[in-house]
C-alpha cells in the first residue's frame, strides 16, 4: 500500500509538531504539502522534507489531486471553510480542536458530512489516545467501578499566550475536559455553570483565572473542573473518577523519582506537547490506518468525529454564557445526527 500524501495546513507550534511526527514516527503516510499564512514559514518547513511542497492557498492544498488527506492545524476561525472544502473534495481530515469556533457552523459541518454519508472528519481530541485515559475507559467499560457517579478534574497550565482571555479558558482549555467527560461517561452534558473564585494576582489583567466549571450529564452525573491556566508551575492534568464500587485517579504524572544528596524528587512536565506527545503519536497512527482502511470501509476515522466537535462547541458556548451570568446554563443541542460506524 503506498503512503498517504498528507497536506498539513498551518505549521505553527502544533502543525510543525505534526509534520515532524508524520515524517519520523508514523507509518503509511508522508507530508506532501504544507501551507501557512506565513509563506516563508511553510517554505522553510517544506525545504526540510524530501518531496514536500509549500502551497500558498489552503483551499488549493485541499483541492490538490496529489493530496490524499488533510491535517488542519490552522487557526479555529478558518476551520469551517476548510472543513467544507475537505468534504467537497472528499478528503479525509484530522482537524485540531475546535471543530469550528461557533455552534452554528459546527452543526453545518456535521449536517453536510451526514448528507454525504461518508465519515471524513476526525477531531483532534488527543486525550482519548492517552494510555491512562484509555486504561480508565477500558476499566469503566468492564464495569470495574460499578455505576460511574462523578468526575473531578484539574486542568492547570503554567502560562497561556498573551492573546488568551476568560472565554478562551472555556473554549480552549475546558473543551478537553468536556470531551473527556463525554468520552468516559458516554453521554451528553446538559448543563454547565462557571464559578469565578478570587483571581490569581499573577494572571494577566482582565483574565478570570482560576475558574471552576460544574457540569451535569443527561443521566445526572456530576463533573467538576478546576481550570487554572497561569500557575507558573507546570502542566498538570488530573482526572479522578468516582463510581459506586470505587474510584480511580489518572494524571499524577509521577515519572522517575530520584533520591540523592539529601534531596527527593522528579521532573515536572512543562506543557501539553510533552504530556500528551505519545497520545498524539497514537492518534495520528490510528488515523492514518483508518484513512487507508476507509477506501474499503467508507469510514475514514478512528476517534472523535464531527459530532463530538459540535457537542463540545455547544457545551463551551453555554459555559461562556455562564461565565458572564454566573448562573447554570442549559446546553442547547439538536438530536444526534451522524453516520453509523462502519
Ligand atoms: C491548549 O490549546 C491545549 O489544547 C492544551 O491541551 C490545553 O491544556 C491548554 O489549556 C490549551 O490552551
Amino acid at each position: 500500500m503506498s503512503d498517504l500524501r498528507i497536506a498539513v495546513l498551518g505549521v505553527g507550534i502544533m502543525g510543525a509538531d505534526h509534520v515532524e511526527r508524520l515524517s519520523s514516527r508514523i507509518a503509511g503516510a508522508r507530508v506532501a504539502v504544507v501551507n501557512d499564512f506565513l509563506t516563508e514559514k511553510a517554505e522553510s518547513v517544506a525545504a526540510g522534507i524530501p518531496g514536500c511542497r509549500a502551497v500558498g492557498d489552503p483551499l488549493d492544498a485541499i483541492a490538490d489531486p496529489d493530496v490524499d488527506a488533510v491535517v488542519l492545524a490552522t487557526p479555529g476561525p478558518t476551520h469551517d471553510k476548510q472543513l467544507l472544502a475537505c468534504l467537497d473534495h472528499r478528503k479525509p481530515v484530522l482537524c485540531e480542536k475546535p471543530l469550528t469556533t461557533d455552534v452554528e457552523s459546527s452543526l453545518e459541518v456535521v449536517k453536510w458530512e451526514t448528507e454525504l454519508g461518508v465519515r471524513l472528519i476526525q477531531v483532534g481530541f488527543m486525550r482519548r489516545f492517552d494510555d491512562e485515559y484509555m486504561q480508565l475507559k477500558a476499566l469503566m467499560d468492564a464495569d470495574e467501578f460499578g455505576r460511574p457517579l462523578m468526575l473531578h478534574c484539574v486542568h492547570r497550565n503554567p502560562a497561556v499566550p498573551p492573546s488568551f482571555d476568560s472565554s478562551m479558558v472555556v473554549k480552549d482549555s475546558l473543551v478537553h475536559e468536556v470531551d473527556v467527560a463525554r468520552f468516559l461517561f458516554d453521554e451528553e452534558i446538559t448543563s454547565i455553570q462557571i464559578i469565578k473564585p478570587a483571581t490569581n494576582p499573577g494572571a494577566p489583567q482582565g483574565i478570570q483565572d482560576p475558574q471552576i466549571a460544574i457540569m451535569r450529564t443527561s443521566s445526572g452525573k456530576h463533573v467538576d473542573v478546576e481550570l487554572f491556566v497561569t500557575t507558573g508551575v507546570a502542566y498538570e492534568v488530573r482526572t479522578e473518577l468516582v463510581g459506586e464500587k470505587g474510584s480511580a485517579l489518572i494524571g499524577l504524572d509521577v515519572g522517575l523519582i530520584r533520591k540523592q544528596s539529601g534531596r527527593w524528587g522528579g521532573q515536572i512536565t512543562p506543557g501539553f506537547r510533552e504530556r500528551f506527545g505519545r497520545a498524539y503519536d497514537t492518534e495520528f497512527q490510528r488515523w492514518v490506518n483508518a484513512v487507508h482502511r476507509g477506501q474499503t470501509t467508507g469510514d475514514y476515522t478512528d476517534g472523535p468525529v464531527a459530532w463530538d466537535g459540535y457537542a463540545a462547541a455547544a457545551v463551551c458556548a453555554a459555559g461562556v454564557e455562564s461565565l458572564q451570568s454566573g448562573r447554570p446554563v442549559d446546553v442547547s443541542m439538536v438530536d444526534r445526527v451522524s453516520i453509523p460506524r462502519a
Side-chain angles (χ1 to χ4, degrees):
M1 206 179 322
S2 53
D3 282 352
L4 291 178
R5 296 161 301 175
I6 311 269
V8 178
L9 310 190
V11 286
I13 296 179
M14 220 47 249
D17 239 33
H18 293 330
V19 167
E20 197 266 328
R21 73 171 34 85
L22 281 164
S23 308
S24 55
R25 297 191 292 285
I26 304 300
R30 67 179 178 85
V31 181
V33 165
V34 289
N35 157 270
D36 199 274
F37 72 98
L38 299 172
T39 315
E40 282 169 20
K41 181 103 193 256
E43 281 167 358
S44 91
V45 171
I49 301 163
C52 179
R53 296 172 284 134
V55 170
D57 183 329
L59 299 182
D60 289 344
I62 293 168
D64 194 314
D66 292 326
V67 162
D68 302 310
V70 177
V71 170
L72 281 194
T74 43
T78 63
H79 284 185
D80 57 342
K81 225 170 155 192
Q82 293 166 1
L83 285 168
L84 294 177
C86 288
L87 293 178
D88 278 349
H89 292 282
R90 308 288 191 277
K91 298 276 167 93
V93 53
L94 176 52
C95 174
E96 272 299 344
K97 57 94 189 161
L99 181 66
T100 73
T101 44
D102 63 83
V103 186
E104 294 71 30
S105 55
S106 286
L107 184 57
E108 192 192 342
V109 167
V110 169
K111 285 188 171 161
W112 198 322
E113 188 195 44
T114 310
E115 263 170 44
L116 279 184
V118 190
R119 211 198 279 259
L120 289 164
I121 301 173
Q122 179 161 333
V123 184
F125 287 127
M126 75 299 187
R127 290 204 199 165
R128 296 189 186 208
F129 302 90
D130 173 69
D131 289 340
E132 286 183 276
Y133 282 103
M134 287 198 285
Q135 208 183 338
L136 177 58
K137 175 73 172 149
L139 289 170
M140 290 172 71
D141 288 349
D143 203 27
E144 288 285 323
F145 308 107
R147 191 199 310 225
L149 302 172
M150 292 177 283
L151 213 51
H152 305 298
C153 310
V154 170
H155 187 141
R156 297 190 193 141
N157 292 14
V160 283
S163 56
F164 232 72
D165 63 21
S166 304
S167 73
M168 287 181 75
V169 177
V170 176
K171 292 198 284 190
D172 214 53
S173 305
L174 177 67
V175 66
H176 285 291
E177 311 300 336
V178 168
D179 187 63
V180 158
R182 294 183 62 255
F183 169 61
L184 292 176
F185 285 159
D186 218 355
E187 54 187 270
E188 297 299 351
I189 292 167
T190 52
S191 79
I192 177 166
Q193 178 175 20
I194 306 282
I195 293 168
K196 299 186 258 187
T199 51
N200 173 19
Q205 238 202 332
I207 179 169
Q208 173 59 51
D209 187 50
Q211 300 180 17
I212 306 289
I214 312 281
M215 298 184 273
R216 195 182 161 84
T217 68
S218 52
S219 74
K221 296 182 177 65
H222 164 96
V223 182
D224 56 72
V225 184
E226 175 207 304
L227 293 145
F228 188 7
V229 298
T230 59
T231 64
V233 181
Y235 189 75
E236 297 169 81
V237 164
R238 290 198 285 277
T239 305
E240 183 179 22
L241 166 85
V242 183
E244 66 175 327
K245 291 194 295 194
S247 66
L249 177 60
I250 60 170
L252 282 181
D253 200 17
V254 185
L256 180 141
I257 300 285
R258 185 166 169 170
K259 288 182 172 181
Q260 205 172 24
S261 315
R263 289 169 153 264
W264 179 96
Q267 300 234 315
I268 57 175
T269 301
F272 58 88
R273 282 156 62 223
E274 293 79 7
R275 167 69 178 84
F276 289 112
R278 263 168 57 91
Y280 282 117
D281 286 354
T282 307
E283 174 188 46
F284 268 68
Q285 188 61 68
R286 280 177 47 183
W287 175 65
V288 164
N289 297 347
V291 173
H292 277 294
R293 284 197 307 271
Q295 332 271 345
T296 40
T297 63
D299 183 352
Y300 296 82
T301 66
D302 179 6
V305 293
W307 175 263
D308 299 299
Y310 161 72
V315 177
C316 290
V320 171
E321 201 181 319
S322 173
L323 182 66
Q324 281 143 14
S325 70
R327 286 194 289 274
V329 175
D330 287 340
V331 176
S332 164
M333 275 174 70
V334 300
D335 289 340
R336 181 159 186 144
V337 269
S338 67
I339 306 154
R341 274 258 172 246

